[in-house]
Amino acid sequence: DAGVIQSPRHEVTEMGQEVTLRCKPISGHDYLFWYRQTMMRGLELLIYFNNNVPIDDSGMPEDRFSAKMPNASFSTLKIQPSEPRDSAVYFCASRQNTGGSRETQYFGPGTRLLVL
Amino acid sequence: GQSLEQPSEVTAVEGAIVQMNCTYQTSGFYGLSWYQQHDGGAPTFLSYNALDGLEETGRFSSFLSRSDSYGYLLLQELQMKDSASYFCAVLDSSYKLIFGSGTRLLVRP
């Protein structure tokens, strides 16, 4: 398997523009997570899905952020409008349901977002 | 609230042994995970402890004491490539991973 795939790998945009980040989880994984990483706040969970259904979006910072998972192999995280403080590395991760015996999340390479 | 405490930085010599600690206070607890992240890279899974005791995987060992809300990651026979950040993460009652701020390990020759 190719692992978790994210695109784009780098994104530079101007304040006010819409940004869409994409993720393809590992085939067969039931859970998909979106994280944001900054020096100040560390690694934060934004939202996660189970079987394509959003389970917990309490980490989504504002209404400007939205996430969808239309099918088991694709998810998007959208920021509209973007602001400079959204600059961060955004990771997507996926996990297979193992009945709680082992908790292993596989992270994608991340999207490095810079909002000017 | 939820909090995980890790030392910010540790330095060790190649070939030595290093222990990185993690203490936590979370709402519910299923287990403690450890992830490694190299600069510019993604976090990669190292270990998971759901029960008290020591888990060993090659040069890496992870320990958990649920009664003390404490765990550690032990790296033996340190190599230069082990220089990275190491994060502990608690799987809480909502089945979410809550990450600590990480320990930056620098391995010197």
Side-chain angles (χ1 to χ4, degrees):
Chain A
D1 203 314
V4 176
I5 299 173
Q6 291 187 247
S7 65
R9 295 292 304 276
H10 302 271
E11 177 83 18
V12 181
T13 189
E14 292 188 343
M15 182 174 64
Q17 296 297 305
E18 177 179 296
V19 175
T20 299
L21 312 181
R22 296 173 177 79
C23 175
K24 176 179 168 52
I26 293 172
S27 177
H29 281 195
D30 308 282
Y31 289 83
L32 183 140
F33 306 82
W34 282 101
Y35 291 90
R36 177 173 69 176
Q37 187 174 37
T38 61
M39 287 296 292
M40 290 298 295
R41 299 178 66 88
L43 197 57
E44 305 172 279
L45 177 66
L46 300 178
I47 184 171
Y48 79 93
F49 296 83
N50 178 212
N51 292 322
N52 314 339
V53 176
I55 302 301
D56 189 329
D57 65 355
S58 59
M60 296 286 260
E62 300 169 35
D63 291 345
R64 299 184 296 106
F65 287 69
S66 62
K68 294 181 179 180
M69 192 165 185
N71 57 62
S73 60
F74 184 66
S75 177
T76 60
L77 178 68
K78 186 175 293 187
I79 309 172
Q80 165 64 15
S82 58
E83 296 183 4
R85 59 190 166 130
D86 302 330
S87 297
V89 181
Y90 290 82
F91 288 104
C92 174
S94 69
R95 178 176 78 83
Q96 188 174 36
N97 188 357
T98 58
S101 62
R102 191 171 175 82
E103 169 58 27
T104 305
Q105 291 189 14
Y106 296 86
F107 283 74
T111 295
R112 282 151 183 78
L113 173 65
L114 177 61
V115 183
L116 302 173
Chain B
Q2 312 205 77
S3 67
L4 288 86
E5 297 288 332
Q6 297 184 254
S8 59
E9 207 169 276
V10 170
T11 301
V13 178
E14 194 175 14
I17 299 172
V18 70
Q19 177 175 315
M20 288 174 281
N21 299 321
C22 173
T23 57
Y24 58 87
Q25 280 188 316
T26 57
S27 55
F29 178 89
Y30 282 116
L32 185 71
S33 296
W34 288 90
Y35 284 78
Q36 179 192 59
Q37 185 179 27
H38 286 97
D39 286 346
T44 57
F45 174 83
L46 292 176
S47 68
Y48 175 68
N49 294 66
L51 302 175
D52 286 357
L54 192 68
E55 295 270 348
E56 298 181 54
T57 308
R59 295 188 298 115
F60 294 75
S61 301
S62 57
F63 172 83
L64 174 65
S65 169
R66 296 175 66 125
S67 59
D68 295 323
S69 298
Y70 165 76
Y72 66 73
L73 180 70
L74 192 74
L75 278 67
Q76 303 183 72
E77 301 171 16
L78 278 175
Q79 302 175 8
M80 298 298 291
K81 67 178 182 178
D82 296 329
S83 292
S85 292
Y86 292 83
F87 296 89
C88 61
V90 165
L91 190 65
D92 74 1
S93 56
S94 303
Y95 223 67
K96 296 187 297 189
L97 271 183
I98 309 299
F99 282 83
S101 54
T103 296
R104 191 173 183 86
L105 172 64
L106 177 62
V107 180
R108 296 185 292 116

